[in-house]
Amino acid sequence: MAGKFGRAGLTAALGAACAMLVALPPAAQAAPVAADPHAGTLAALKTFQAAAGPGAGVHAGDATNTWSLSVGTGTINTNAPIQPNEHYRIGSQTKTFTAATVLQLVDEGKVSLDAPIGKYLPGVVAGNGYDGNAITVRHLLHHTSGVAVYEPFSTPPARNPDGTYSLEALVREGLKRPPASAPGTAFLYSNTNYLILGMLVEKTTGMPVHRAVTDRIVTPLGLTRTVFPAPGDHLLPTPAVHGYHGVRIGGFYFWSRVLDYDPSVFSSAGAMISTEEDLTKFYQALIGGKIVSPAALAEMEKTAGADFEGIGYGLGLLRRDLPCGGSAWGHNGMVPGYYTQTMVTADGRHVSVVTNAHLATNIPSAQMDKVVTTALCENR
């Protein structure tokens, strides 16, 4: 642990060191110590972890170099720094995979962004004030559908006999909440939008959404440590970052392992598993034009109607305007046990961050943002 100095104490310490250095003969002088190029990011990561889970890790770099930092531990009661190749549940970063799959279907002429969802899923978005003929595919991708907020883990629908959840049941449960606004008039982030899009993918491709995303994106990109688990698959592959529930009260904290749950409760809105390295590869491929056409990517990056101070939301993509200039694209995610974010820039800079707890209160979003922006703006 570094010592703490007041301004006077630090000046005195530096003065003493300089005096001693001057007194040494040339042969005894120590070589100057190079400054740590990642000191700012490490400081931000420590601040983040102090308000987050038992551990935190960051994997970052530019078009030619990558580096990783970790503080705390990936497994409580051990010294196990989080590594960039370790698996964790990525939560809503899944939405970008789902959005990219839908945009591939747009590229193939099988789906139109501005067609009503009722054209593809008749009768699904209906009743309780909803009209599937007024809500477009774009509205769902952009979270401007007016569909109300829904947290499926807190209020899940009835399970299937095998303990899994169907997309149809999740959507029905989500739509029990009345519309928050008219379609196309306001931004409101809702998991139900992406559960409906999961149904769209299944109807259009004729296969389960986990298989469609895997076959279209995960396998072609060689994301060997990325998994969209099938319903009923509870396994978190090894090596893994273990997720925890917990609270922080001042300097005290209490952690317990996340209870087992079926990831199908999040499905196309948040079920996937990946690593810092694989997520970086995915977002770089997407922004680099290797997953969807240039025209489709341009649509994904349109944030009009969902622009806020320093950030914007496109079609499954979050934009962060950087303090050093330019913007980064990616997404964040929060599920039981994990809080994550990955962002990349067009010139090859990238950052992926994970902590192994999702705190229900006092979420350290500002501290997460500081890690992201500091890493992306190093030496700029």
Side-chain angles (χ1 to χ4, degrees):
M1 181 180 293
K4 295 182 178 179
F5 294 90
R7 182 182 298 272
L10 182 57
T11 302
L14 286 172
C18 289
M20 183 174 290
L21 199 62
V22 170
L24 287 172
Q29 291 186 20
V33 178
D36 181 356
H38 311 306
T41 303
L42 180 59
L45 187 66
K46 288 179 177 179
T47 300
F48 172 55
Q49 189 271 325
V58 57
H59 178 67
D62 56 26
T64 57
N65 297 291
T66 61
W67 45 271
S68 299
L69 301 171
S70 180
V71 296
T73 182
T75 305
I76 60 172
N77 301 320
T78 68
N79 180 20
I82 293 172
Q83 302 299 318
N85 66 344
E86 292 180 328
H87 299 84
Y88 52 86
R89 299 190 186 277
I90 68 173
S92 286
Q93 291 196 61
T94 302
K95 290 181 172 70
T96 312
F97 285 83
T98 299
T101 302
V102 172
L103 267 294
Q104 285 188 347
L105 296 173
V106 171
D107 279 335
E108 294 163 12
K110 298 174 181 176
V111 170
S112 172
L113 283 175
D114 296 309
I117 190 62
K119 173 181 177 181
Y120 307 105
L121 299 173
V124 171
V125 183
N128 198 27
Y130 291 105
D131 180 2
N133 293 316
I135 296 172
T136 66
V137 174
R138 184 189 300 275
H139 290 150
L140 295 167
L141 288 161
H142 198 210
H143 292 294
T144 52
S145 64
V147 172
V149 173
Y150 171 49
E151 175 45 67
F153 188 79
S154 301
T155 52
R159 296 172 182 259
N160 295 323
D162 63 359
T164 64
Y165 299 92
S166 72
L167 273 169
E168 292 81 1
L170 288 161
V171 168
R172 283 196 301 270
E173 180 64 35
L175 294 178
K176 288 180 180 178
R177 293 139 188 84
S181 62
T185 63
F187 175 86
L188 183 65
Y189 189 91
S190 176
N191 288 306
T192 308
N193 288 320
Y194 276 73
L195 297 171
I196 296 169
L197 290 167
M199 291 184 66
L200 172 65
V201 170
E202 293 195 342
K203 181 70 175 292
T204 308
T205 65
M207 63 179 69
V209 65
H210 73 271
R211 177 50 54 196
V213 172
T214 300
D215 288 356
R216 286 172 165 270
I217 296 177
V218 176
T219 299
L221 289 179
L223 304 179
T224 58
R225 292 180 182 262
T226 297
V227 181
F228 194 144
D233 181 2
H234 296 213
L235 178 67
L236 182 64
T238 57
V241 180
H242 297 290
Y244 297 91
H245 288 299
V247 295
R248 285 187 177 273
I249 303 174
F252 297 94
Y253 49 85
F254 308 90
W255 306 120
S256 61
R257 288 286 292 271
V258 169
L259 297 177
D260 185 48
Y261 66 90
D262 195 286
S264 63
V265 74
F266 294 116
S267 189
S268 46
M272 291 182 69
I273 295 165
S274 193
T275 69
E276 291 174 325
E277 290 177 337
D278 263 15
L279 286 168
T280 299
K281 186 175 180 180
F282 165 66
Y283 283 101
Q284 287 182 321
L286 179 61
I287 299 305
K290 298 179 181 178
I291 298 178
V292 300
S293 70
L297 180 60
E299 295 291 346
M300 294 185 77
E301 293 181 344
K302 289 181 179 178
T303 61
D307 278 308
F308 309 95
E309 185 177 354
I311 62 172
Y313 198 92
L315 307 186
L317 273 177
L318 176 71
R319 189 198 75 242
R320 176 63 166 95
D321 299 330
L322 299 174
C324 55
S327 299
W329 295 91
H331 213 287
N332 60 5
M334 288 179 272
V335 288
Y338 305 96
Y339 178 23
T340 71
Q341 187 163 348
T342 306
M343 304 295 287
V344 302
T345 65
D347 63 4
R349 285 173 288 155
H350 57 88
V351 60
S352 190
V353 186
V354 59
T355 186
N356 51 344
H358 167 38
L359 306 180
T361 59
N362 299 319
I363 298 170
S365 55
Q367 295 93 323
M368 168 70 90
D369 185 66
K370 184 66 173 178
V371 177
V372 168
T373 56
T374 303
L376 290 174
C377 288
E378 278 196 355
N379 303 315
R380 290 177 180 266

